[in-house]
Amino acid sequence: MSECLDLGPKPRRNSVAVKVGGVTVGGNAPIVVQSMTNTDTADIDATVAQVAALAKSGSELVRITVDRDESAAAVPKIRERLERLGLDVPLIGDFHYIGHKLLADHPACAEALAKYRINPGNVGFKAKKDKQFSQIIETAIEYDKPVRIGVNWGSLDQELLTRLMDENLKNGSPLSADQVMHEAIIQSALLSAQLAEEVGLGRDKIILSAKVSRVQDLIAVYSQLAARGDYALHLGLTEAGMGSKGIVSSSAALGIVLQQGIGDTVRISLTPEPGGDRTREVQVAQELLQVMGFRQFLPVVAACPGCGRTTSTVFQELAQKIEGDLRKNMPVWREKYPGVENLQVAVMGCIVNGPGESKHANIGISLPGTGETPAAPVFIDGEKAATLRGENIAEDFEALVKKYIEEHYQ
């Protein structure tokens, strides 16, 4: 008999664990979901509201922009307001160009943040670069804060890139421009981490990221970066785009890297629709980790896609309603009913796969398809438990789901 292929994910890469507030990143800790606000941080009300929404939707770390004195002065007030709301989600300060000055001029900001994020491509230029980078690292040491060194190909250190391009031209077997760019990104991250350690920051205070916006570039860069160090790694496809394009691109790139055992935090960088909900990126990150088997955030609702047998929209409406109710209630249910996130629900549209799929779930319903007898059998833990009829099938099934949760998760 031929051997079965092992198609599961590779073991998690052994990275150094980093404490970010009350959240552990790396080591053996679960992969962490992160997001970022798009409010003006100086607008305390708007920023508190968006951080709260992101945290309640499941973002375990939230990054905020700290770009000027007004935003730096607002950070401790934002932290205080969040704590009054009972939210202890760690805040990450995103610094560019003048981060060294803002941290020095606003010690309360330096203290209130759980982590600093700096970009070696714009922390300073020429002779000032290493000095200003070191100043931020010294502040992190003073306040006992971790640092994410976040390289981005849109603001890559041009001196480093130019040097590597020149060296490549002299090479007898030159690399492609993309390969040189990959190496520049990796070197920027690793050399910056080395400098941070030389200044005195421990490896257990350093997280690296290497952001690009093309799927194949991300896979190549993170595969090499992971092989050349044991730093905790933050994953994200930068400027992924809007809607389905951003979701598909991010999922394709991060899914492959995660399958290789690489990655300790993830962010799905979606461009929201005008006036759209920022929490969508959190939902996508959770769903990605869940469908790949790394985390369990919400009960799974299996639902058939529909066909000519299911011209009624009843099963679609019921699946949408059940999934929406589960997501809405999870913040409370997770505390009240431990393990409820492992619940599996099936909402099927006809007799072809309905009964079988429903039997695989903890609780499932097979709704009548076009031309079928107007009855909906309900299966609980593989056994037929009831048959629903009439106009209130949806409400009756919802009541059975709630009853199942109350009886099985205590």
Side-chain angles (χ1 to χ4, degrees):
M1 183 181 293
S2 61
E3 294 184 4
C4 293
L5 294 176
D6 181 6
L7 299 179
K10 293 182 181 178
R12 285 278 302 282
R13 168 179 164 271
N14 186 25
S15 60
V16 176
V18 180
K19 290 288 289 185
V20 183
V23 176
T24 300
V25 172
N28 295 318
I31 299 168
V32 173
V33 173
Q34 180 173 322
S35 59
M36 184 177 184
T37 60
N38 62 356
T39 58
D40 178 359
T41 305
D43 185 340
I44 296 172
D45 290 343
T47 303
V48 167
Q50 193 171 89
V51 171
L54 291 167
K56 289 176 181 177
S57 70
S59 184
E60 294 156 304
L61 302 173
V62 177
R63 182 158 51 114
I64 60 177
T65 298
V66 187
D67 57 348
R68 63 193 195 279
D69 287 309
E70 291 81 1
S71 58
V75 170
K77 298 174 184 176
I78 292 167
R79 177 73 275 163
E80 181 182 352
R81 289 265 296 275
L82 289 169
E83 289 172 356
R84 289 208 302 266
L85 293 172
L87 297 171
D88 60 357
V89 59
L91 295 179
I92 301 163
D94 193 49
F95 295 98
H96 297 276
Y97 305 107
I98 59 170
H100 62 292
K101 185 176 185 302
L102 292 174
L103 286 168
D105 292 347
H106 297 273
C109 170
E111 178 61 43
L113 293 169
K115 184 176 77 174
Y116 310 152
R117 187 268 184 171
I118 55 177
N119 182 339
N122 60 32
V123 73
F125 302 99
K126 298 189 180 297
K128 294 182 178 180
K129 182 178 69 174
D130 288 353
K131 178 182 177 182
Q132 293 175 179
F133 177 88
S134 297
Q135 286 176 326
I136 296 176
I137 300 302
E138 288 166 355
T139 302
I141 295 170
E142 178 183 355
Y143 291 96
D144 194 28
K145 306 292 183 180
V147 173
R148 172 156 73 93
I149 298 171
V151 181
N152 189 303
W153 74 340
S155 50
L156 188 56
D157 183 339
Q158 292 303 301
E159 291 182 50
L160 173 61
L161 179 60
T162 299
R163 176 172 62 79
L164 291 178
M165 286 289 189
D166 290 343
E167 291 174 358
N168 185 57
L169 287 174
K170 298 175 184 177
N171 193 324
S173 302
L175 302 173
S176 68
D178 280 348
Q179 289 174 312
V180 176
M181 184 265 292
H182 295 168
E183 180 62 21
I185 292 171
I186 295 164
Q187 284 199 27
S188 179
L190 293 176
L191 290 172
S192 298
Q194 180 182 335
L195 176 56
E197 289 194 67
E198 290 172 357
V199 174
L201 191 66
R203 189 164 290 211
D204 63 344
K205 296 288 186 183
I206 299 174
I207 298 173
L208 301 183
S209 65
K211 297 287 192 74
V212 295
S213 60
R214 295 193 306 227
V215 171
Q216 295 296 341
D217 289 314
L218 183 141
I219 296 166
V221 168
Y222 273 99
S223 298
Q224 295 176 56
L225 183 59
R228 290 162 67 170
D230 60 357
Y231 297 101
L233 297 179
H234 169 79
L235 303 183
L237 189 73
T238 191
E239 287 89 42
M242 183 179 289
S244 60
K245 185 267 181 186
I247 293 172
V248 171
S249 298
S250 293
S251 299
L254 271 62
I256 291 172
V257 176
L258 288 166
Q259 187 77 0
Q260 295 175 1
I262 299 168
D264 301 296
T265 70
V266 298
R267 184 196 172 200
I268 305 296
S269 299
L270 297 180
T271 303
E273 304 287 343
D277 189 349
R278 190 68 165 180
T279 63
R280 180 65 172 140
E281 66 177 47
V282 178
Q283 181 181 342
V284 173
Q286 288 182 328
E287 290 175 352
L288 174 63
L289 293 176
Q290 180 156 321
V291 299
M292 294 193 68
F294 292 110
R295 297 281 302 272
Q296 193 73 24
F297 298 98
L298 290 169
V300 173
V301 179
C304 71
C307 66
R309 293 175 178 268
T310 57
T311 54
S312 168
T313 61
V314 173
F315 84 95
Q316 300 163 339
E317 293 163 357
L318 180 56
Q320 183 182 52
K321 182 80 162 56
I322 292 292
E323 191 163 294
D325 285 348
L326 290 171
R327 181 171 290 279
K328 180 183 71 175
N329 289 315
M330 275 307 293
V332 173
W333 284 357
R334 191 178 285 112
E335 300 296 326
K336 190 175 181 180
Y337 305 114
V340 68
E341 65 273 10
N342 297 305
L343 176 70
Q344 295 187 17
V345 181
V347 180
M348 305 303 293
C350 79
I351 199 171
V352 174
N353 293 316
E357 191 77 42
S358 296
K359 289 177 183 179
H360 289 305
N362 297 120
I363 180 167
I365 186 170
S366 179
L367 292 161
T370 305
E372 292 179 13
T373 302
V378 174
F379 297 84
I380 295 179
D381 292 328
E383 301 293 332
K384 184 177 177 180
T387 300
L388 303 182
R389 294 181 173 86
E391 297 180 354
N392 297 318
I393 286 178
E395 292 77 7
D396 292 343
F397 182 65
E398 285 184 75
L400 288 173
V401 171
K402 186 174 181 182
K403 181 181 178 183
Y404 185 93
I405 291 171
E406 291 171 345
E407 293 179 349
H408 289 77
Y409 299 97
Q410 298 178 9

